[in-house]
């Protein structure tokens, strides 16, 4: 690939217009080739169209899902979607209110499948039909440490909201409840941080790491 023309601003935020003969590849977006690509994507996807990126991700997605309760318009949801994209989750499931704050997602929701379920019961029915166990993440009585738990390869991680945590219905619906080991004075950690830790725990157990 020829070196793209860059400026100081493009070096910080992406690449400039393509230099040289244009590639004969349907994955490339003509507008991005002409004007440059300043999106928040890894280098392998520079100049690719959004549809081409999603198709490539779909061919490699991990078999875990992420579900988030959304009863109070939790601002963490966008950050969780961003982490789900980074760890290549199959799908993010929003349970409860359909609307959620997308700012924290940093437009990664364009590349991440997102489904909505009105209730926990709907999510459970969806997961049951696909033989996906639900792994709730919360530090409640009876939970086990995620650091000592053998995570299923195909599963649904279920997260609650900042403050109240998971609802009673969510805890009751889970096939297992795990918590993240903590050592300080705070009772809990940020919901989006907990989600990222849980997804990374899955990666450590199951993902094919890059060489």
């Amino acid at each position: 690939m020829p070196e793209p023309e860059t400026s100081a601003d493009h070096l910080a935020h992406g690449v400039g217009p393509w230099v040289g003969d244009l590639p004969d590849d349907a994955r490339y977006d003509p507008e991005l080739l002409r004007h440059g690509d300043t999106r928040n994507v890894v280098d392998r996807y520079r100049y690719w169209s959004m549809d081409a990126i999603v198709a490539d991700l779909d061919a490699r997605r991990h078999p875990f899902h992420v579900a988030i309760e959304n009863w109070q318009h939790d601002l963490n949801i966008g950050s969780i979607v961003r982490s789900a994209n980074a760890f290549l989750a199959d799908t993010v499931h929003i349970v409860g209110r359909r609307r959620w704050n997308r700012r924290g997602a940093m437009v990664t929701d364009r590349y991440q499948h997102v489904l909505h379920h009105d209730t926990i019961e709907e999510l459970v029915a969806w997961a049951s039909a696909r033989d996906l166990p639900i792994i709730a993440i919360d530090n409640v009585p009876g939970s086990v440490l995620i650091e000592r738990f053998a995570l299923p390869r195909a599963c649904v991680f279920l997260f609650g909201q900042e403050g109240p945590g998971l609802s009673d219905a969510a805890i009751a619906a889970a096939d297992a409840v795990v918590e993240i080991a903590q050592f300080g004075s705070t009772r809990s950690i940020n919901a989006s941080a907990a989600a990222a830790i849980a997804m990374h725990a899955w990666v450590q157990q199951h993902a094919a790491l890059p060489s």
Side-chain angles (χ1 to χ4, degrees), residues 162-186:
E162 193 71 25
L166 283 167
S167 66
D168 291 341
I171 294 292
D175 294 279
V177 183
V178 302
E179 64 175 305
I180 297 165
Q182 297 177 207
F183 304 93
S185 61
T186 183

Side-chain angles (χ1 to χ4, degrees), residues 34-105:
R34 186 177 300 113
H35 300 294
D37 187 355
T38 59
R39 300 171 300 173
N40 178 24
V41 296
V42 295
D43 288 344
R44 68 173 291 183
Y45 292 140
R46 287 296 179 201
Y47 304 112
W48 284 30
S49 70
M50 185 177 69
D51 288 343
I53 294 173
V54 172
D56 190 69
L57 294 175
D58 284 347
R60 304 185 293 109
R61 289 193 191 276
H62 292 138
F64 73 86
H65 297 245
V66 176
I68 315 151
E69 290 193 297
N70 183 32
W71 313 120
Q72 301 175 351
H73 289 304
D74 194 333
L75 297 179
N76 286 283
I77 291 177
S79 295
I80 294 174
V81 170
R82 183 180 181 183
S83 293
N85 171 267
F87 293 117
L88 202 57
D90 186 293
T91 302
V92 173
H93 303 259
I94 309 296
V95 182
R97 297 181 177 182
R98 185 178 295 272
R99 295 184 63 184
W100 53 280
N101 190 312
R102 286 170 165 74
R103 174 173 290 185

